[in-house]
């Protein structure tokens, strides 16, 4: 009888192992993210003022460290940035031209901005606004837009797709 129990136990081990492996595979499939990027960072249009204030504060800290003057947030530049972020999402490509062929200069004029465009940074990412700002600071051309000593105002906005991808636009003017 002891031999029989041993044999039954040995036969059950492979079955238990197979069930365990199949269960773990099913669990892994169920836990896999459905879309690329961080699932937890979801933002909405209602978050825009808080995000814009955080970016402005961060940009001004970076500018102070570089010895250049601070920027103020400008509603018209924010509107131009929001329009371009939505347009890039519709086009599904990060670039500086609108689907209608408009340039950054055209967009800030359409938004009613009376000053001169100083620069524009864009991004297609799943990262937060501060991670995006850090990425811009790591590149000479985009860092130069942020630290331009002739800039006096900032516009910043975004558009987030249902899959979580975020299109960011930062515009400086003076």
């Amino acid at each position: 009888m002891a031999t029989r129990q041993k044999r039954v136990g040995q036969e059950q081990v492979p079955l238990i192992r197979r069930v365990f492996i199949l269960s773990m595979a099913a669990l892994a499939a169920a836990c896999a993210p459905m879309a690329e990027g961080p699932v937890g960072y979801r933002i909405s249009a209602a978050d825009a003022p808080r995000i814009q204030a955080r970016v402005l504060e961060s940009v001004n800290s970076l500018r102070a460290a570089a010895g250049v003057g601070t920027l103020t947030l400008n509603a018209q530049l924010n509107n131009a940035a929001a329009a371009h972020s939505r347009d890039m999402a519709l086009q599904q490509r990060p670039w500086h031209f609108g689907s209608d062929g408009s340039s950054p200069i055209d967009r800030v004029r359409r938004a009613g901005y009376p000053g001169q465009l100083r620069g524009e940074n864009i991004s297609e990412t799943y990262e937060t606004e501060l991670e995006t700002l850090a990425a811009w600071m790591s590149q000479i051309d985009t860092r130069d837009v942020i630290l331009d000593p002739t800039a006096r105002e900032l516009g910043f906005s975004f558009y987030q797709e249902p899959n979580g991808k975020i299109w960011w636009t930062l515009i400086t003017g003076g």
Side-chain angles (χ1 to χ4, degrees):
M1 186 156 182
T3 306
R4 185 168 185 241
Q5 287 177 343
K6 189 175 182 183
R7 198 174 329 138
V8 170
Q10 287 173 345
E11 291 170 2
Q12 288 178 344
V13 170
L15 177 61
I16 291 171
R17 192 174 294 151
R18 281 183 288 200
V19 169
F20 176 75
I21 291 170
L22 290 174
S23 297
M24 293 309 292
L27 180 61
C31 292
M34 296 302 288
E36 292 180 14
V39 176
Y41 194 66
R42 301 300 287 176
I43 53 179
S44 70
D47 297 318
R50 178 182 49 79
I51 289 170
Q52 290 164 335
R54 185 169 40 239
V55 168
L56 178 64
E57 180 181 344
S58 298
V59 164
N60 282 336
S61 293
L62 293 165
R63 289 174 63 87
V68 295
T70 60
L71 302 179
T72 57
L73 207 54
N74 179 281
Q76 294 152 328
L77 293 178
N78 286 341
N79 290 339
H84 191 55
S85 294
R86 278 189 305 274
D87 192 42
M88 287 190 297
L90 290 172
Q91 295 180 71
Q92 284 297 296
R93 64 178 170 178
W95 74 325
H96 293 283
F97 294 94
S99 56
D100 61 356
S102 61
S103 71
I105 294 170
D106 297 328
R107 287 192 299 279
V108 299
R109 283 187 185 145
R110 274 190 215 152
Y113 183 65
Q116 182 178 2
L117 173 75
R118 294 295 178 189
E120 176 180 78
N121 288 343
I122 57 173
S123 180
E124 168 194 15
T125 186
Y126 291 92
E127 296 178 329
T128 69
E129 64 278 3
L130 297 182
E131 291 169 313
T132 301
L133 181 58
W136 285 333
M137 288 300 291
S138 72
Q139 301 294 317
I140 293 170
D141 58 339
T142 51
R143 180 176 55 238
D144 286 349
V145 169
I146 294 165
L147 300 180
D148 179 355
T150 65
R152 299 287 173 254
E153 297 178 294
L154 174 75
F156 186 80
S157 199
F158 61 90
Y159 177 81
Q160 187 169 36
E161 295 180 6
N163 70 2
K165 183 189 293 182
I166 307 169
W167 301 83
W168 300 104
T169 305
L170 177 146
I171 301 173
T172 58

